[in-house]
Amino acid sequence: MTLAVSGSIATDHLMRFPGKFAEQLVADQLSNISLSFLVDDLVIRKGGVGGNIAYALGVLGGSPLLVGAVGPDFGEYRSWLEANGVDCSGVRVSTTAHTARFVCTTDDDMAQIASFYPGAMSEARNISIGDVASGKSVELVLVGANDPDAMLAHTAQCREAGIPFAADPSQQLARLNGDQARQLVDGAAYLFTNEYEWGLLRQKTGLSEDDIASMVGIRVTTLGKSGVEIVTADGVRTHVDVVPETSKVDPTGVGDGFRAGFLVAHRAGASVERAAQLGSLVAVLVLETTGTQEWKFTRDDALKRLGAAYGSVAADEVGALLPA
């Protein structure tokens, strides 16, 4: 069965600042802020929420269909994704704009300052979920950060077509008003946010935790180094700790990796606990690598790390879901 991923497709320009942003901020001068950070390095990688999640789904043996808009410079990126099991037939190629750009600087505390240029992404609103899903057994559409009009349209199209969807508004919550945010989550089979976004969603919509619980199936809230909380439709809460990292290299795309691991496992029949454990493993693999699609997944090594973090039973049960 196919998991469709509607989200941004971008090129990431990643830099590192050898210091702490917080030490450069003057509290009573923030209204006059004017800063330039001299960085140590620059790497250019393939990225975007949609591209990252689709790549991870492909690596994990899923059947991802990528839905998004790109520029004519997408050729090499397309070949990379297709080589890793991603169906790019749902990607629209603009004739007038370049593929989106994400420019991000990370400091020694893993804090980040970033900008995002949408470029061709704005044309994603012209893609129809019904059209790209035609003839494919799409069991779920993840609606991730993308052109805001595309996010609203694709969510509405899923409802109209009766296709279950996962709401993952993430960074675009800052661009949405309360009514738009409510539209994106209402009826979602899954709601993914991080801890800050969970608070922002409630603030923007004016909805309580109970209100949102009545609108979605499973709420998944990542908590950074504190792990993840999952709340099912019947109100059962499950907390899963992170997989201990061997190093902290770059946090960009960690949440995308988690979502892919969680969905692959849960849609294959795993419990939410086991799904979050696989998601946490993929997340740490991304954290330990520069670039959101440069990490590698080796089955035996992965199961050893799962066993060390969560026990042999967890490793056995997750291993049974993964391709040999």
Side-chain angles (χ1 to χ4, degrees), residues 241-246 277 280-282 284 288 305-306 309-310:
D241 289 325
V242 299
V243 175
E245 75 274 359
T246 58
Q277 289 168 347
S280 297
L281 174 65
V282 178
V284 81
E288 295 168 351
R305 291 190 73 172
L306 276 169
Y310 305 119

XYZ file of all heavy atoms in Angstrom, residues 241-246 277 280-282 284 288 305-306 309-310:
127
model
N 11.172 7.192 25.254
C 12.421 7.947 25.333
C 13.173 7.899 24.004
O 12.903 7.043 23.149
C 13.318 7.374 26.443
C 12.778 7.670 27.827
O 12.203 8.752 28.026
O 12.927 6.803 28.714
N 14.130 8.792 23.851
C 14.945 8.827 22.641
C 15.941 7.667 22.646
O 16.230 7.068 23.684
C 15.723 10.157 22.519
C 14.773 11.336 22.452
C 16.705 10.321 23.681
N 16.457 7.351 21.470
C 17.603 6.455 21.358
C 18.857 7.287 21.635
O 19.047 8.326 21.005
C 17.687 5.829 19.951
C 18.961 4.996 19.807
C 16.453 4.984 19.668
N 19.706 6.899 22.580
C 20.904 7.699 22.894
C 21.762 7.904 21.646
O 22.007 6.967 20.880
C 21.627 6.855 23.941
C 20.550 6.034 24.570
C 19.582 5.727 23.461
N 22.203 9.157 21.462
C 23.014 9.456 20.279
C 24.489 9.191 20.536
O 24.948 9.237 21.677
C 22.826 10.927 19.855
C 23.537 11.935 20.735
C 22.722 12.359 21.950
O 21.583 11.878 22.091
O 23.228 13.184 22.753
N 25.222 8.903 19.480
C 26.678 8.784 19.572
C 27.339 10.132 19.363
O 28.477 10.341 19.767
C 27.207 7.787 18.527
O 26.824 8.225 17.217
C 26.631 6.395 18.774
N 9.333 3.925 18.762
C 10.712 3.467 18.954
C 11.459 3.417 17.630
O 12.614 3.844 17.550
C 10.703 2.104 19.656
C 10.292 2.214 21.112
C 9.994 0.871 21.769
O 9.849 -0.154 21.084
N 9.890 0.857 23.090
N 12.106 6.961 16.620
C 13.191 7.556 17.401
C 14.551 7.089 16.916
O 15.528 7.850 16.943
C 13.009 7.216 18.886
O 11.804 7.773 19.377
N 14.628 5.848 16.463
C 15.894 5.357 15.914
C 16.254 6.103 14.629
O 17.392 6.541 14.449
C 15.809 3.858 15.630
C 17.034 3.287 14.913
C 18.275 3.387 15.793
C 16.798 1.859 14.465
N 15.283 6.243 13.718
C 15.555 6.967 12.478
C 15.942 8.414 12.799
O 16.862 8.973 12.192
C 14.341 6.919 11.533
C 14.618 7.725 10.257
C 13.990 5.483 11.178
N 17.516 9.616 15.368
C 18.889 9.748 15.850
C 19.889 9.505 14.723
O 20.976 10.100 14.705
C 19.147 8.821 17.057
C 19.436 7.388 16.652
C 20.300 9.365 17.914
N 22.799 12.313 13.738
C 24.224 11.978 13.716
C 24.877 12.196 12.349
O 26.040 11.843 12.154
C 24.407 10.518 14.148
C 24.002 10.269 15.593
C 23.890 8.791 15.951
O 23.968 7.937 15.038
O 23.697 8.489 17.140
N 20.793 -1.327 18.072
C 20.561 -0.073 18.794
C 19.173 -0.042 19.418
O 18.996 0.469 20.536
C 20.756 1.125 17.864
C 22.202 1.331 17.460
C 22.435 2.641 16.740
N 22.368 3.782 17.638
C 22.696 5.021 17.279
N 23.101 5.269 16.041
N 22.615 6.012 18.141
N 18.193 -0.586 18.725
C 16.856 -0.664 19.309
C 16.867 -1.544 20.553
O 16.257 -1.210 21.576
C 15.870 -1.230 18.288
C 15.260 -0.249 17.286
C 14.521 -1.002 16.196
C 14.316 0.717 17.989
N 18.452 0.250 23.455
C 17.647 1.351 23.979
C 16.353 0.886 24.637
O 15.930 1.434 25.658
C 17.325 2.336 22.855
N 15.704 -0.140 24.050
C 14.356 -0.491 24.485
C 14.185 -1.959 24.877
O 13.090 -2.358 25.305
C 13.358 -0.177 23.365
C 13.414 1.252 22.881
C 13.744 1.545 21.555
C 13.134 2.316 23.736
C 13.790 2.856 21.097
C 13.179 3.632 23.291
C 13.514 3.892 21.967
O 13.555 5.194 21.521
